[in-house]
Amino acid sequence: MNKSIAIDGPSGAGKSTLSRMIAKRYGLIYVDTGAMYRTVGLYVLRNGTDSHDRGGVVSLLPDIHIGMRYDSAGVQRMLLNGEDVSEEIRLPAVSLYASDVSAMPEVRSFLLQMQRKLAEENSVIMDGRDIGTVVLPHAGLKIFLSASPEDRARRRYEELRLKGVETTPEDVFRDISYRDANDSSRAAAPLRAAEGAVILDTTGNTLEESFETISSLVQEYLNGGDE
Ligand code: DC
């Protein structure tokens, strides 16, 4: 039976870095669902459609074909109508579009099936905002990862700077605050901790400390039940 681990939390909490490390250590497939929302957001942005125009966004969905593949290093690559957009979807403008379109129930159900299918066919660690609450409510281990907005903005700024993206700490903090409010207040699958989730606040922790904490939870789960 395949194993499923759900990791939810706000932007910049370290979900993707930690999930990737856990996947590598335990031989799981890492599924980054934020990348799927980002790919939809990118299409909407390129199309010139307002990210709040629900009718406009929904009418674009039939034209969007999302593909995913894993490269030789096990890194998830995103394909938009066959084009590899893995780098472009990380741009700050796309983050805001992803957050806006992810509030639309039609966009959520468009991606839900793909997410569930991946977990049916593989043992996964999947991260996002609604994995433990909606996508994989029966996941054997659910973790809600958080950190203070200041810590999250600092980490995200550093990540963007290393990638050569031009931005400022103030802009990153503003974008994170916008997305926090958007992702938590929406009616469709808002960000919240699932029932039974282990809540981890990583404020002030090093990456290694958070990794060790999560590793021991994962180890216990993988050694335990057969869910
Ligand atoms: O994880 P991320 O920052 O790459 O996600 C981009 C946006 O997508 C985020 O602001 C909210 C949305 N999202 C979501 O609504 N549900 C998910 N499971 C994952 C992401």
Side-chain angles (χ1 to χ4, degrees):
M1 179 114 178
N2 284 324
K3 305 271 182 179
S4 301
I5 300 172
I7 306 226
D8 291 301
S11 312
K15 301 184 299 293
S16 58
T17 308
L18 289 161
S19 300
R20 200 171 298 118
M21 290 163 77
I22 293 286
K24 200 165 173 197
R25 179 181 273 190
Y26 296 100
L28 305 166
I29 298 281
Y30 165 46
V31 183
D32 171 0
T33 63
M36 299 177 187
Y37 287 97
R38 286 171 179 272
T39 304
V40 174
L42 175 63
Y43 188 89
V44 174
L45 177 66
R46 282 182 177 178
N47 193 266
T49 299
D50 185 326
S51 58
H52 297 101
D53 172 4
R54 184 167 166 189
V57 171
V58 170
S59 72
L60 295 178
L61 293 178
D63 302 331
I64 303 179
H65 295 281
I66 295 186
M68 264 180 60
R69 65 177 182 85
Y70 288 88
D71 68 15
S72 53
V75 176
Q76 174 181 316
R77 310 288 304 180
M78 293 308 298
L79 305 175
L80 171 58
N81 296 332
E83 175 193 353
D84 191 323
V85 292
S86 311
E87 270 79 40
E88 198 175 347
I89 58 170
R90 300 293 152 196
L91 294 175
V94 181
S95 304
L96 301 180
Y97 264 64
S99 180
D100 289 342
V101 302
S102 72
M104 300 169 187
E106 297 85 351
V107 172
R108 305 202 70 79
S109 51
F110 176 70
L111 297 174
L112 184 63
Q113 216 184 344
M114 187 175 175
Q115 295 163 352
R116 287 201 174 140
K117 192 160 180 278
L118 282 159
E120 266 163 37
E121 294 172 354
N122 307 278
S123 281
V124 296
I125 177 162
M126 188 178 286
D127 85 348
R129 305 293 185 288
D130 62 336
I131 309 306
T133 52
V134 176
V135 182
L136 304 176
H138 303 299
L141 173 63
K142 300 178 189 180
I143 296 173
F144 189 86
L145 204 62
S146 192
S148 70
E150 291 75 16
D151 250 40
R152 292 187 283 116
R154 202 174 316 114
R155 292 175 197 166
R156 185 49 55 90
Y157 173 69
E158 195 51 27
E159 206 175 287
L160 289 169
R161 198 182 62 80
L162 288 174
K163 280 187 190 157
V165 176
E166 245 178 75
T167 185
T168 63
E170 293 73 27
D171 282 352
V172 174
F173 187 79
R174 194 200 52 224
D175 287 0
I176 285 228
S177 308
Y178 173 84
R179 290 208 286 147
D180 278 358
N182 233 9
D183 300 344
S184 310
S185 67
R186 68 185 180 212
L191 170 67
R192 61 178 174 79
E195 222 182 284
V198 179
I199 298 182
L200 291 179
D201 184 336
T202 66
T203 306
N205 286 6
T206 63
L207 187 63
E208 288 68 30
E209 284 165 343
S210 303
F211 178 59
E212 287 314 321
T213 307
I214 297 177
S215 271
S216 49
L217 292 167
V218 170
Q219 184 87 60
E220 195 179 293
Y221 163 51
L222 295 178
N223 289 345
D226 59 358
E227 227 177 318

